[in-house]
Amino acid sequence: GENVEQHPSTLSVQEGDSAVIKCTYSDSASNYFPWYKQELGKRPQLIIDIRSNVGEKKDQRIAVTLNKTAKHFSLHITETQPEDSAVYFCAATPRGTNFGNEKLTFGTGTRLTIIP
Amino acid sequence: EPEVTQTPSHQVTQMGQEVILRCVPISNHLYFYWYRQILGQKVEFLVSFYNNEISEKSEIFDDQFSVERPDGSNFTLKIRSTKLEDSAMYFCASSEGLAGSYNEQFFGPGTRLTVL
């Protein structure tokens, strides 16, 4: 089955600087890679996603890059703000023969702390 | 905006007891999921459910676990005889199931299960 590795496990960044979180996956069939943000005690919420036919996607201060050959993808947050502090999870999923049967395999999470 | 809801928010039970965790998926969604997150660890897939049957389950989802959609709105996870290691946050998720594309999974707020 799919295995997703995520680094670093913790990351502290000065407010205004950039943060980068990296993930690798093992299953070459995986073709959808969402990123979730989880604030303390709250539900995971999708912040950005990328499909395997795209190398990069950007949404305001957040961007994700995908390298299918190397099987890794990264989250980039620029101009970080205190409200970016949270745990970030990457995930991967293959498209099954029955759409909807698309379990997410999550990475181990990165605790991002923005230092004011 | 519609949200997935879960009850209770916190459940405390004695080892060996049965528990039922309840979820109300978003009303037009067709696919339902249960995930769990042991404290400080990553989110893990348990089971996916479509058209009143399990479409996929993980190794964690053994005979002690079952899922049901007892009516048109609720989706439940039952643990027959709880163990200490079942203590975790349990998240329900749902997705639309639109043909031809990956569908975002929307997560509920979670039920924290504590087994004593």
Side-chain angles (χ1 to χ4, degrees):
Chain A
E2 175 66 280
N3 183 48
V4 178
E5 301 285 340
Q6 184 171 348
H7 300 280
S9 56
T10 60
L11 179 62
S12 294
V13 173
Q14 287 291 135
E15 183 178 352
D17 288 351
S18 295
V20 180
I21 302 170
K22 298 182 179 183
C23 290
T24 59
Y25 61 99
S26 61
D27 188 348
S28 57
S30 285
N31 57 8
Y32 179 78
F33 308 91
W35 285 87
Y36 284 83
K37 176 183 181 182
Q38 186 179 29
E39 295 176 38
L40 190 63
K42 296 194 175 177
R43 73 188 79 193
Q45 292 200 295
L46 181 74
I47 54 170
I48 195 167
D49 55 22
I50 191 166
R51 298 167 197 270
S52 61
N53 59 348
V54 174
E56 184 172 356
K57 183 176 176 181
K58 192 173 180 181
D59 183 3
Q60 300 182 339
R61 297 187 297 108
I62 295 173
V64 58
T65 58
L66 171 65
N67 182 328
K68 281 187 63 182
T69 305
K71 295 204 201 82
H72 66 70
F73 57 114
S74 301
L75 176 72
H76 304 253
I77 307 173
T78 58
E79 300 170 22
T80 52
Q81 299 166 4
E83 53 265 36
D84 294 330
S85 294
V87 178
Y88 291 81
F89 290 97
C90 62
T93 185
R95 183 170 182 79
T97 53
N98 302 309
F99 64 85
N101 184 18
E102 293 164 335
K103 68 176 187 179
L104 293 173
T105 300
F106 284 85
T108 46
T110 297
R111 181 172 299 280
L112 176 63
T113 302
I114 307 302
I115 305 165
Chain B
E1 185 177 331
E3 287 186 330
V4 176
T5 60
Q6 289 184 244
T7 53
S9 56
H10 192 188
Q11 173 93 46
V12 181
T13 189
Q14 294 291 325
M15 191 169 55
Q17 295 296 303
E18 174 183 287
V19 294
I20 297 176
L21 310 183
R22 291 182 168 80
C23 167
V24 178
I26 294 173
S27 63
N28 64 331
H29 285 188
L30 301 178
Y31 295 90
F32 315 122
Y33 306 81
W34 283 101
Y35 292 85
R36 80 170 185 193
Q37 186 179 32
I38 295 171
L39 188 64
Q41 298 185 24
K42 65 178 171 181
V43 177
E44 299 175 288
F45 169 81
L46 293 179
V47 66
S48 58
F49 190 86
Y50 168 69
N51 199 25
N52 282 321
E53 60 182 30
I54 290 173
S55 52
E56 188 169 358
K57 60 184 180 179
S58 72
E59 315 77 56
I60 303 167
F61 194 88
D62 61 22
D63 292 344
Q64 292 300 311
F65 291 87
S66 61
V67 289
E68 193 179 28
R69 187 152 165 83
D71 53 43
S73 59
N74 289 283
F75 177 52
T76 62
L77 174 70
K78 182 193 291 186
I79 308 175
R80 242 177 293 280
S81 177
T82 49
K83 307 186 191 90
L84 295 175
E85 54 265 35
D86 293 328
S87 294
M89 181 74 92
Y90 288 80
F91 291 104
C92 173
S94 68
S95 64
E96 282 184 289
L98 295 174
S101 65
Y102 181 78
N103 300 271
E104 178 184 349
Q105 291 182 27
F106 292 82
F107 283 76
T111 293
R112 179 163 298 285
L113 176 65
T114 303
V115 181
L116 302 176

